[in-house]
Amino acid sequence: MTMNALGQQQQLWAFDAKDKDGSSAHMASSSKPRLLTPQQPTVLPQVDRERIYQWINELTSPDSRENALLELSKKREVVPDLAPMLWHSFGTIAALLQEIVNIYPAINPPNLTASQSNRVCNALALLQCVASHPETRSAFLQAHIPLFLYPFLHTVSKTRPFEYLRLTSLGVIGALVKTDEQEVINFLLNTEIIPLCLRIMESGSELSKTVATFILQKILLDDTGLAYICQTYERFSHVAMILGKMVLHLSKEPSARLLKHVVRCYLRLSDNPRACEALRQCLPDQLKDSTFATCLKDDNSTKRWLSQLQVNLEAPTGPGPDPRGMTTPLHQQ
């Protein structure tokens, strides 16, 4: 069965992450994502709650789990309290984690099939529901459940099943950072999410790059996250190098959606004095000239951020801080 055929059976899901400053990232398990915008009707259809309870119970049985995953993933947008129901029902989260762990042997060596990818992505969609809900998010983090997804983000195969797997996994992390909660940032900074996002930003598909860059942007927008990335020159230079490569690629294959997040990351980095000094030396020329004028013609917010970035990087009147001062002992990195 092809991924397109499977996609017709699976409800298309999307993640529309709106920043306070107006930026957005969209993630979907389809090449034509259905974007969830405030303009769409908010009236929820009637749901047979007894069927929801039945499907949740069926998750604990291997024989009925696949269909229950499919049906519940379709209903997660129309059942506001689905996340608490999943979290507090006996054996449900263990069943979802079992679906994830069962896929590990198929990712190394990479022989994941479309059917396997579709099934685990349904389980990940339910975990995203739990990660998004205020009543379950903290417990979700305390259980370290995001760490179960990191092996999927380590994959590099460019086949469609693997791309959907990475994209859906990024969606769970994106749902967490969308909340702007300090607990989320603190958790992520103690994991390897930044290097994982940087690798996807360098070599992933456009949609995966967009979501990974959005996650990095949300980390940077937090003061703790900005301080962490700018704590050492090695961390900063790795981020700056990947962003620079993305700008070069975007100059050849423009994407206004992705460029928006790249510019926002640069602008936030410029809020740190040492990073600002370093950016004066390494900001790509394409962000200084009119390379992206056509791409940003109708994007006033990104044009405003780019102008502010250029203002921030104007040479100071006196000597600035040495960017190489971003150093700490290795044991503190």
Side-chain angles (χ1 to χ4, degrees), residues 182-243:
Q182 189 67 51
E183 181 184 16
V184 172
I185 301 300
N186 290 342
F187 173 86
L188 293 177
L189 291 180
N190 284 295
T191 72
E192 57 181 328
I193 192 61
I194 292 177
L196 285 174
C197 283
L198 291 174
R199 186 164 69 175
I200 293 172
M201 288 162 60
E202 182 176 13
S203 60
S205 68
E206 180 189 331
L207 193 51
S208 288
K209 286 181 177 180
T210 302
V211 180
T213 310
F214 169 79
I215 293 170
L216 177 66
Q217 172 187 319
K218 297 297 282 186
I219 291 174
L220 281 169
L221 288 173
D222 180 87
D223 289 342
T224 305
L226 177 64
Y228 176 88
I229 288 176
C230 296
Q231 184 179 17
T232 73
Y233 189 74
E234 289 72 22
R235 289 177 188 167
F236 164 81
S237 61
H238 190 193
V239 171
M241 178 186 68
I242 298 301
L243 290 174

Side-chain angles (χ1 to χ4, degrees), residues 55-239:
W55 287 325
I56 291 177
N57 285 332
E58 289 176 354
L59 287 175
T60 57
S61 171
D63 294 334
S64 57
R65 184 178 300 163
E66 184 171 10
N67 180 68
L69 287 169
L70 176 62
E71 296 298 336
L72 287 170
S73 68
K74 292 178 180 179
K75 296 294 188 292
R76 71 189 202 288
E77 293 169 10
V78 296
V79 183
D81 56 344
L82 179 59
M85 292 163 64
L86 292 170
W87 185 260
H88 295 293
S89 55
F90 179 78
T92 297
I93 299 301
L96 296 179
L97 292 179
Q98 187 178 54
E99 288 294 305
I100 291 173
V101 173
N102 285 345
I103 293 297
Y104 288 171
I107 64 177
N108 188 20
N111 54 19
L112 184 69
T113 67
S115 178
Q116 288 174 313
S117 178
N118 194 70
R119 176 167 172 163
V120 74
C121 282
N122 282 332
L124 289 170
L126 295 182
L127 288 181
Q128 180 182 329
C129 175
V130 175
S132 302
H133 200 284
E135 292 183 25
T136 53
R137 184 164 47 248
S138 182
F140 182 83
L141 289 174
Q142 291 173 15
H144 289 194
I145 290 178
L147 299 183
F148 285 87
L149 281 54
Y150 285 16
F152 300 155
L153 299 180
H154 271 286
T155 62
V156 295
S157 172
K158 295 186 180 298
T159 64
R160 185 170 294 185
F162 275 96
E163 178 58 30
Y164 284 176
L165 180 63
R166 282 190 297 271
L167 189 58
T168 314
S169 300
L170 285 169
V172 179
I173 308 301
L176 287 170
V177 298
K178 181 184 176 184
T179 64
D180 296 313
E181 292 184 356
Q182 189 67 51
E183 181 184 16
V184 172
I185 301 300
N186 290 342
F187 173 86
L188 293 177
L189 291 180
N190 284 295
T191 72
E192 57 181 328
I193 192 61
I194 292 177
L196 285 174
C197 283
L198 291 174
R199 186 164 69 175
I200 293 172
M201 288 162 60
E202 182 176 13
S203 60
S205 68
E206 180 189 331
L207 193 51
S208 288
K209 286 181 177 180
T210 302
V211 180
T213 310
F214 169 79
I215 293 170
L216 177 66
Q217 172 187 319
K218 297 297 282 186
I219 291 174
L220 281 169
L221 288 173
D222 180 87
D223 289 342
T224 305
L226 177 64
Y228 176 88
I229 288 176
C230 296
Q231 184 179 17
T232 73
Y233 189 74
E234 289 72 22
R235 289 177 188 167
F236 164 81
S237 61
H238 190 193
V239 171

Side-chain angles (χ1 to χ4, degrees), residues 73 97 106 164 175 244-245 268 272 302 330:
S73 68
L97 292 179
Y164 284 176
K245 288 182 177 181
R268 180 54 173 162
N272 180 278
T302 304
L330 289 176

Side-chain angles (χ1 to χ4, degrees), residues 38 48-49 51 56 80 171 176 188 214 219 245 261 281 312 315-316 319 322 324 333:
D48 183 348
R49 296 187 71 83
R51 290 290 292 162
I56 291 177
L176 287 170
L188 293 177
F214 169 79
I219 291 174
K245 288 182 177 181
H261 298 297
Q281 305 168 32
N312 291 357
D322 185 347
R324 292 169 298 179
Q333 294 183 18

